[in-house]
Amino acid sequence: MSLIIRILLPAFLLPLCLPAYTQNYAASLIPEELMKNANSVIREHKVSYTINSEKEVIKHQSYAITILNQKADNQAVVLIPYNTAEKISLGNIMIYDASGKKVRTVKSSEILDRSYVDNMSLYTDLRLKYLKAIGSAYPFTLVYSYEIKSPKLYVIDNFQPYASENQSVQYAEISVTNNAQAGLHVSFSGENQPDISSPDAKTTVWSFRNLPSISNEPYAPNAYDIVPGVFITPDKLYYSGYSGSAATWADYGQWKTELLSGRDQLPVSSYGKYRQLTANCNTKTEKVRKLYKHLQSTTHYINISTDIGGLQPHHAADVENLGYGDCKDLSNFMVAMLKAVDIEAFYTAIKAGTGKYQFFMDHPGHQSNHIIVCVPLENDTIWLECTNQENPFGYVGQGIDNRFALIVDGNRSRVVKTPSYSGKSNTLTSNFRLETDGNDTFLKGSFRFGGLFAGMPAQISRQTMHDQQQWVIQNLEMRNFNLRNHQFRIYDFEKVYVNLEIAADIPGLFAENGGRIYLPLNLNNRIKVPEKVRNRKYPLVIDKPFTQTDTVTIVLPHGFIPELMPEANLADADFGHYFMKTSFNKGEITCVREFCLKEGRYAPERYKDFQAFMQNVSIADSKQLVLKKE
């Protein structure tokens, strides 16, 4: 798991990288302690904002990084997103050798300037300046700077001194000169707090010095608990003619509500269509499900982001007519359809992603990168991810589970939390039957994926038969099996889960060796042991608990009886339990294995206990069934 956070914001909020200051960049001047476990060293990282008014914010960045070896080549990059409403000025880009001598100045013709459109975007006014720097020998230093003048006041920055793992930092700072006297929300993350200074009445500087290299550790805490950062937003907002406040969450929600004003309107004919579509539904839940399935079958995701389009959805009627849109558009359209059948639903802002994330409850303002829909019913709350055509109805997947979200509801806007999954909810269950006829072994059985395990199988089930087969073959851990057939079934009424039924041949599984057959009982879901870590620095965090249960019934080959039927029973009060139990009855052996991993946070020194527990579980799980001739 990566310790360095990749912030997913609209590109107008994604200013990166930085310098051009006269100083000695000789690698020999890097302090020895910063060279330990480092592939690169940020020599100087400066970001400054000058807020002249709500319609003029000037940002300047300067950056110098020394690349120590080829493992850090991906850090020798100039990458500057901006949009066409902003004025960008790029300073010199220079490369220095190990002695600190300037080798060359990059020509302007070498810098790419292109649209930021990707394969999920139809059109955007975002652009990107890009250069991949190459030094003649290691170490070398890349130095550059740029300035952007922006006609809006929305987010100042989420500033991190680090840009990668195995990287140290000599000096980094962010400063704000507040000529407009706008109020600022300032929050900090990580273990190292910045030094704070005020060289004049309007300027504040947050700085870091001599930060050592950060290395990745398995089961590490949230990256924001480790990596230092400064998060700054204004309490006054201005974007493309829309002024507002972020003094409180209600204020910020009111501003976002104004962006939605009038955009959930549908033609009268559409109201009739959706009422007719849900006419046979007996409950509100059934109506929500019906319309969600309709959304999935009639629309697809595509991004169109120009001007304020990164924050404001297109009109629901246009999305209905065109059949596509991004998360804002599709969520707003979903709210409009529900409104047509008299069901209240809310446009909801959230920071989505598969990794861990940060949220400052006492820091109102932009902390999201995604929009979903919240449908509060009398006895339940339904969450809808509107950009995924494969999601089961009501499924809160790994990208939006257990995190804070802002329900946009005028001055009643409020922060809530999405559902989380316990170890009893995150379940992976299998049930197989094995029969043999000579050298041929036939397997038939099923998997049941519940909780967070359900997301990927649900998506795969909507793909082509070939892609489904490839996924099954790649994800089942049985060796040398030939898949005969398979079938996915999605269940999304009371509980969301996915069933996968398979039939396969496993040649040679019952191969005889000296009058005995050695048969592995863990045909799937082998226990993975985390690596040993000497001098663990960070706490041990287990934040995705689960329970996996596997049952396999083996019809014994003719003439064989069990000689050794393995069993195991391991338990740790903190980490979980494992057991394997085998039984023999009327020519059949049944083996039940169960592994439960608990959620928890522990001191760094407990990691060796956890690693030992997992090692013991893996050893117990590798025991084989031994059959012998009668």
Side-chain angles (χ1 to χ4, degrees), residues 422-435:
S422 68
K424 293 182 179 179
S425 300
N426 294 327
T427 57
L428 178 54
T429 306
S430 69
N431 198 317
F432 293 116
R433 184 177 179 84
L434 285 171
E435 298 184 30

Side-chain angles (χ1 to χ4, degrees), residues 117-124 302-305 324:
V117 172
D118 56 21
N119 60 2
M120 298 300 288
S121 299
L122 179 63
Y123 179 76
T124 176
I302 193 166
N303 182 39
I304 306 175
S305 178
Y324 59 76

Side-chain angles (χ1 to χ4, degrees), residues 21 25 94-98 100-103 139-143:
Y21 280 62
Y25 292 115
M94 296 164 286
I95 298 175
Y96 295 79
D97 65 15
K101 178 182 177 181
K102 186 170 73 172
V103 176
F140 67 91
T141 300
L142 169 67
V143 180

Side-chain angles (χ1 to χ4, degrees), residues 554 556 560-562 565 582-590 627:
I554 302 164
L556 296 190
F560 280 85
I561 60 174
M565 296 195 303
T582 53
S583 59
F584 177 55
N585 183 35
K586 296 180 180 180
E588 295 185 355
I589 290 177
T590 299
L627 308 177

Side-chain angles (χ1 to χ4, degrees), residues 483-497:
L483 185 65
R484 285 191 181 186
N485 54 68
H486 76 279
Q487 184 174 19
F488 286 97
R489 287 189 174 92
I490 298 177
Y491 298 85
D492 58 3
F493 286 92
E494 294 183 359
K495 288 186 178 180
V496 175
Y497 62 92

Side-chain angles (χ1 to χ4, degrees), residues 256-282:
K256 292 187 76 68
T257 301
E258 292 172 7
L259 299 184
L260 301 176
S261 179
R263 292 178 177 260
D264 63 350
Q265 300 300 310
L266 292 170
V268 174
S269 59
S270 296
Y271 275 64
K273 178 174 67 174
Y274 299 129
R275 290 179 183 275
Q276 184 177 2
L277 188 64
T278 58
N280 294 326
C281 297
N282 296 318

